[in-house]
């Protein structure tokens, strides 16, 4: 991984256009080709990013860019969509590379992992005619808990939490954005499943077209009655 701290601006061109004006930011360039642009805030969520597969190439600066104080520029291009992210560097404060090795992946809380196992075995709880494709379906930014198909063959991405909050909805939203770029999967519908879903998380999920599934852990283990899909 390469980490660059720089005074920079960022321009994105693709399905939509976006501009980050000049400011000091952290740029994370990963070995999988992805780039993430972070500010000193916003928790883990980047201001902008380009997901793999993509390539990074330096740009030749023209006279106007040099006159504006730009010392270096990168163009990151997505291989499938041709979306582009251009990073213009005015000053670099830090630039280092680190070999992080192979990551063992997220080890889930015991109850959360068991909920995933139970829902995979009881996938019909999501809807009639639904079938399991696989657990831990890997995306470029991590595994979505369950990939399933509905009765019509449509893709369903399910993220499972013990307690469903806004961060979980944001996580599923990022998975869906990536998965919907894959023509073999798209369109992908999202389901946010948890033992308890906070009202703010439910509102955000429903606003984004994500269904919410409340799971009864005891009942799924054969101890009580049914869970509810909203």
């Amino acid at each position: 991984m390469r980490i660059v701290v720089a005074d920079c601006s960022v321009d994105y061109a693709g399905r939509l256009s976006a501009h980050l004006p000049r400011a000091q930011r952290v740029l994370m360039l990963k070995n999988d080709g992805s780039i993430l642009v972070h500010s000193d805030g916003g928790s883990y969520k980047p201001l902008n990013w380009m997901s793999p597969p993509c390539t990074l190439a330096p740009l030749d600066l023209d006279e106007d860019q040099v006159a504006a104080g730009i010392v270096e520029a990168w163009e990151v291009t997505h291989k499938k969509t041709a979306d582009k992210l251009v990073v213009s560097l005015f000053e670099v404060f830090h630039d280092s590379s680190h070999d992080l090795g192979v990551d063992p992946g997220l080890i889930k809380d015991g109850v959360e992992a068991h909920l995933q196992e139970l829902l995979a075995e009881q996938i019909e709880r999501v809807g009639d005619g639904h079938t399991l494709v696989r657990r831990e379906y890997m995306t470029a930014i991590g595994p979505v808990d369950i990939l399933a198909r509905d009765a019509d063959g449509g893709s369903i991405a399910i993220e499972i939490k013990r307690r469903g909050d806004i961060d979980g909805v944001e996580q599923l939203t990022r998975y869906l954005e990536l998965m919907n770029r894959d023509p073999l999967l798209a369109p992908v519908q999202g389901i946010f499943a948890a033992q308890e879903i906070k009202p703010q998380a439910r509102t955000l999920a429903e606003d984004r077209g994500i269904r919410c599934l409340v799971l009864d852990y005891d009942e799924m283990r054969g101890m009580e009655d049914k869970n509810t899909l909203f």
Side-chain angles (χ1 to χ4, degrees):
M1 177 183 292
R2 182 182 175 191
I3 299 175
V4 178
V5 181
D7 180 5
C8 65
S9 64
V10 182
D11 292 279
Y12 180 88
R15 291 172 297 171
L16 51 82
S17 296
H19 173 68
L20 292 174
R22 181 176 174 178
Q24 294 183 24
R25 299 186 177 93
V26 175
L27 309 170
M28 299 176 64
L29 294 81
K30 298 187 178 183
N31 285 335
D32 61 8
S34 61
I35 181 171
L36 299 96
V37 182
H38 283 276
S39 65
D40 193 9
S43 185
Y44 58 84
K45 187 175 181 180
L47 296 171
N48 212 328
W49 67 94
M50 184 69 77
S51 303
C54 56
T55 57
L56 183 149
L59 293 176
D60 294 329
L61 302 180
D62 59 31
E63 292 182 0
D64 290 339
Q65 289 174 307
V66 173
I70 297 172
V71 297
E72 187 176 349
W74 310 331
E75 183 176 77
V76 186
T77 306
H78 196 276
K79 291 182 179 179
K80 292 183 178 179
T81 64
D83 290 5
K84 294 182 184 296
L85 190 74
V86 175
V87 181
S88 301
L89 308 174
F90 295 86
E91 184 177 359
V92 176
F93 306 106
H94 173 86
D95 189 345
S96 63
S97 296
H98 308 271
D99 184 0
L100 302 184
V102 178
D103 192 273
L106 179 66
I107 299 175
K108 290 183 175 287
D109 169 273
V111 172
E112 193 171 303
H114 198 204
L115 281 169
Q116 182 193 120
E117 179 183 349
L118 289 169
L119 188 57
E121 293 172 352
Q122 304 169 30
I123 197 65
E124 68 278 359
R125 292 176 179 274
V126 178
D128 293 338
H130 284 58
T131 56
L132 174 70
V133 176
R134 65 167 297 166
R135 293 169 55 190
E136 300 287 338
Y137 179 83
M138 185 57 65
T139 74
I141 57 173
V144 66
D145 289 325
I146 291 176
L147 176 64
R149 299 277 184 189
D150 62 21
D152 297 322
S155 302
I156 307 289
I158 306 172
E159 184 63 23
I160 300 170
K161 302 293 183 186
R162 283 185 64 189
R163 294 180 178 83
D165 56 22
I166 286 177
D167 285 349
V169 178
E170 294 283 7
Q171 181 181 359
L172 178 55
T173 299
R174 292 194 299 277
Y175 288 148
L176 290 170
E177 180 177 354
L178 286 176
M179 296 171 75
N180 273 304
R181 294 181 182 181
D182 187 340
L184 298 178
L185 293 176
V188 185
Q189 182 182 32
I191 293 180
F192 187 53
Q195 288 179 278
E196 172 190 352
I197 300 177
K198 295 182 179 179
Q200 300 94 328
R202 181 183 295 280
T203 298
L204 180 62
E206 292 174 350
D207 182 67
R208 295 180 176 179
I210 296 171
R211 291 189 290 160
C212 293
L213 176 65
V214 177
L215 302 174
D216 187 324
Y217 184 48
D218 289 337
E219 190 274 328
M220 292 177 76
R221 293 185 295 164
M223 298 176 64
E224 275 183 33
D225 55 12
K226 287 281 179 180
N227 45 288
T228 305
L229 178 65
F230 296 92

